[in-house]
Amino acid sequence: MKQISTRFSMAVHTLSLIDMCPLECTGDFIAASVNTNPVVIRRIMGMLKKAGLIEVRAGVGGAYLLKEPGQITLLDIYRAVHAADENQLFGIHDNSNIACQVGRNIEQVLQQELRDAQNAMEQRLARTTLDQLNKQLAEI
Amino acid sequence: MKQISTRFSMAVHTLSLIDMCPLECTGDFIAASVNTNPVVIRRIMGMLKKAGLIEVRAGVGGAYLLKEPGQITLLDIYRAVHAADENQLFGIHDNSNIACQVGRNIEQVLQQELRDAQNAMEQRLARTTLDQLNKQLAEI
DNA sequence: CCGGGTAGTAACTATACTGGTTACAACGGT
DNA sequence: ACCGTTGTAACCAGTATAGTTACTACCCGG
């Protein structure tokens, strides 16, 4: 497979910066730290804004968090940038042949198993907050 | 993101069938149950073969498991079909600006967090065997 | 030993997501 | 009013996916 889009890691990077220095955080400034094109960052900021994580100061530039950094988890960010389509990490083939016992039931059974696996991952993401992350960044 | 390829779920489907009726399991037969093109199945069987999960009977057709179904986990199958690139589910942007504290350390910190999340998912996959899955399929 | 059915691939296609890029209109403080 | 910024739209190249056609290699039964 392709990997989960780097949009997610760039979004985390972006929020870290906004937490540390909201006023400086124009799209260009963040793009310089992430080392990418400002438009890519603006697109991500748009998603973070739509998810209610940040407020962007149109015209003047900069952005600030709408929640405490201790209340923003990696899972929130993951969801905000649509890291997984329809919140469903695993794709499952459909229209299996119902004349076959396996074909008839595989989708339902797999759906549950894979949902569990996805949940395990997401719960791990939910355990880490932006706050904790920024503390780790400072400690190195 | 795009979801994890349906190649994974098709591979599980394929192995379920092989476990139940190895002799019947030609590419065409499996393709009819999965409802896709036989070549797609043959490609997947090639990957399962390369991973040492099955042996395919060239010429005559059919395939059989090389391990007990209780010894084949969803994680084995997931890995066999290269569901994630380089065994790394999350893509992380690189070449961040090292002049910035966040840019300098984000990759290392995120790497660890995301690896943990990935592991949580994989360990859940590792807990389910083909055997258990087939029992579930039969119980419905 | 040969014919029929099968595996194993190569090659091509359409579709879709990604990350980057240019361009431009709307906005807002100084 | 100016200038830097945001918010988008449009486009591009690269790549993964899933399906399809076509061909060779292989094995068994007759």
Side-chain angles (χ1 to χ4, degrees):
Chain A
M1 182 190 66
K2 273 276 290 289
Q3 299 173 322
I4 287 175
S5 168
T6 58
R7 189 164 67 231
F8 175 38
S9 69
M10 290 193 284
V12 175
H13 190 149
T14 296
L15 286 169
S16 269
L17 285 172
I18 292 176
D19 184 27
M20 289 185 178
C21 47
L23 297 183
E24 278 184 275
C25 280
T26 64
D28 285 44
F29 175 84
I30 297 172
S33 174
V34 172
N35 196 24
T36 183
N37 191 290
V39 177
V40 173
I41 298 299
R42 283 185 237 153
R43 277 200 287 242
I44 289 172
M45 289 174 83
M47 299 176 107
L48 296 174
K49 184 171 150 185
K50 194 169 291 184
L53 296 180
I54 64 174
E55 183 59 46
V56 182
R57 300 191 304 168
V60 59
Y64 51 91
L65 300 181
L66 286 179
K67 294 179 171 186
E68 291 301 311
Q71 299 302 313
I72 298 178
T73 70
L74 287 181
L75 180 57
D76 295 325
I77 308 172
Y78 173 84
R79 292 246 169 88
V81 297
H82 305 130
D85 196 33
E86 313 248 331
N87 269 339
Q88 180 120 15
L89 180 60
F90 293 92
I92 302 185
H93 63 288
D94 49 5
N95 293 112
S96 289
N97 188 341
I98 60 171
C100 164
Q101 191 194 47
V102 175
R104 194 163 51 241
N105 300 328
I106 188 84
E107 187 168 342
Q108 183 187 341
V109 170
L110 257 189
Q111 188 71 253
Q112 187 56 52
E113 290 290 335
L114 300 185
R115 183 64 81 170
D116 285 355
Q118 179 182 333
N119 279 341
M121 183 203 75
E122 293 185 350
Q123 289 321 301
R124 179 61 189 81
L125 289 182
R127 275 178 40 204
T128 301
T129 67
L130 186 58
D131 195 42
Q132 291 167 357
L133 212 70
N134 275 349
K135 287 207 177 80
Q136 283 189 59
L137 286 173
E139 278 170 8
I140 296 178
Chain B
M1 182 192 63
K2 272 277 290 287
Q3 299 173 323
I4 287 175
S5 168
T6 57
R7 191 164 65 232
F8 175 37
S9 69
M10 291 193 284
V12 175
H13 190 150
T14 297
L15 286 169
S16 270
L17 286 172
I18 293 176
D19 183 27
M20 290 185 177
C21 46
L23 298 182
E24 278 183 276
C25 281
T26 65
D28 284 44
F29 176 84
I30 297 172
S33 174
V34 173
N35 196 23
T36 184
N37 191 290
V39 176
V40 173
I41 297 300
R42 283 185 238 151
R43 276 201 287 244
I44 289 172
M45 288 174 84
M47 299 177 105
L48 297 175
K49 184 171 150 185
K50 195 170 291 184
L53 296 180
I54 64 174
E55 183 60 47
V56 182
R57 300 192 304 167
V60 58
Y64 52 91
L65 301 180
L66 286 179
K67 294 178 172 188
E68 290 301 310
Q71 299 302 313
I72 297 178
T73 71
L74 287 180
L75 181 57
D76 294 326
I77 309 173
Y78 174 85
R79 293 245 169 90
V81 297
H82 305 130
D85 197 32
E86 312 247 332
N87 269 340
Q88 180 120 16
L89 180 60
F90 293 91
I92 302 184
H93 63 287
D94 50 5
N95 295 113
S96 289
N97 190 340
I98 60 171
C100 164
Q101 191 194 48
V102 176
R104 194 164 51 241
N105 300 329
I106 188 84
E107 186 169 342
Q108 184 187 341
V109 170
L110 258 189
Q111 188 71 253
Q112 187 56 51
E113 291 289 335
L114 301 185
R115 183 64 81 169
D116 284 355
Q118 179 182 334
N119 280 341
M121 183 204 75
E122 293 185 350
Q123 290 319 301
R124 178 61 189 81
L125 289 182
R127 273 178 41 204
T128 300
T129 67
L130 187 58
D131 195 41
Q132 292 168 356
L133 213 69
N134 276 348
K135 287 207 177 79
Q136 284 188 60
L137 286 174
E139 277 168 9
I140 295 179

